[in-house]
Amino acid sequence: TDLNNSLGVIYIVRDPRNVVTSFSNHYNLSLKESSHRMVSNSVLGEDSDKKVFTYILSWKNNYNSWKIFLKEEKYLLIKYEDLIKDPKKMLIKMLTFIFQLSKNESNIDLQKVDKVIASTTFENLKNLENKHGFIEKSSKMKKNFFNLGKQNKWQNILDESVIEILSSEFKEELKELNYL
């Protein structure tokens, strides 16, 4: 996308060493295969329900591609880890950014912010998925879409070969984001 059809971008980035476990779950791939897919621009194949191919940029190319909005000061980077640590602060930061871009002079309703946060906890979303399903869940997934939550700690899950693939391929970005 570009500024012809977007006011700006809020980019939520997550440490790719944690993304790989979600990627693995979503596409029912091994962690090693998932790490290889994340470092390359790839086609995942045809989605049987929609009959379309899914093209995926590498994590690195995806992350870097959105920075075109930086020069126009229409880019807000939110680290997923900060969103988990302090959801209220990050949601207010995102709303402030949206209000500024759209020249909306309304005040942020802090009661609504609290309700949004309460209704979108990992535990609540996982319970809703268990009760009603979840449309984003891939037909290939054997586990829930809302799978690991805070237990997704790459240090406890990944073997050295996967850590090496991701850490070497994304070294500059990991440093830039203070993940290294």
Side-chain angles (χ1 to χ4, degrees):
T1 190
D2 58 31
L3 289 171
N4 292 322
N5 56 33
S6 298
L7 283 177
V9 64
I10 297 173
Y11 191 88
I12 300 175
V13 68
R14 187 176 183 193
D15 188 321
R17 296 165 297 182
N18 276 333
V19 172
V20 73
T21 58
S22 296
F23 192 100
S24 173
N25 179 48
H26 191 74
Y27 294 106
N28 196 25
L29 298 169
S30 71
L31 290 169
K32 190 158 198 152
E33 176 63 21
S34 294
S35 66
H36 286 296
R37 297 267 179 113
M38 285 179 57
V39 301
S40 67
N41 295 318
S42 62
V43 176
L44 285 176
E46 189 176 293
D47 182 311
S48 60
D49 297 334
K50 298 177 185 143
K51 303 293 181 204
V52 295
F53 286 97
T54 302
Y55 296 94
I56 296 187
L57 287 175
S58 72
W59 179 91
K60 174 181 177 172
N61 287 343
N62 185 293
Y63 167 69
N64 287 318
S65 72
W66 290 97
K67 291 182 191 177
I68 62 166
F69 287 88
L70 263 170
K71 64 184 172 192
E72 304 294 331
E73 297 181 6
K74 295 187 175 194
Y75 176 86
L76 177 63
L77 178 71
I78 300 288
K79 288 173 72 173
Y80 175 84
E81 297 79 9
D82 293 337
L83 188 58
I84 297 303
K85 185 170 51 180
D86 194 345
K88 187 170 187 170
K89 178 180 176 184
M90 293 298 107
L91 182 53
I92 290 170
K93 187 174 185 175
M94 289 186 275
L95 290 170
T96 300
F97 178 75
I98 291 167
F99 284 13
Q100 287 171 346
L101 283 181
S102 62
K103 298 179 179 23
N104 181 334
E105 295 181 15
S106 301
N107 292 320
I108 295 172
D109 185 330
L110 295 178
Q111 287 182 329
K112 285 185 180 179
V113 167
D114 289 337
K115 285 181 183 178
V116 166
I117 292 166
S119 68
T120 58
T121 64
F122 179 83
E123 294 77 18
N124 190 48
L125 294 172
K126 187 173 183 104
N127 288 335
L128 286 171
E129 179 181 8
N130 288 335
K131 287 180 187 173
H132 306 289
F134 188 67
I135 196 164
E136 293 296 322
K137 182 177 177 178
S138 162
S139 58
K140 297 175 185 175
M141 290 173 70
K142 293 182 178 175
K143 300 175 186 169
N144 280 5
F145 183 90
F146 296 97
N147 182 32
L148 294 174
K150 291 180 182 177
Q151 295 167 353
N152 186 8
K153 293 184 181 1
W154 64 267
Q155 301 90 332
N156 302 332
I157 299 171
L158 303 181
D159 66 40
E160 286 301 318
S161 67
V162 172
I163 294 169
E164 177 57 32
I165 290 166
L166 299 174
S167 296
S168 64
E169 180 65 28
F170 305 141
K171 185 176 183 177
E172 293 304 312
E173 291 75 17
L174 291 170
K175 284 182 181 177
E176 179 182 324
L177 293 162
N178 294 316
Y179 288 136
L180 284 183

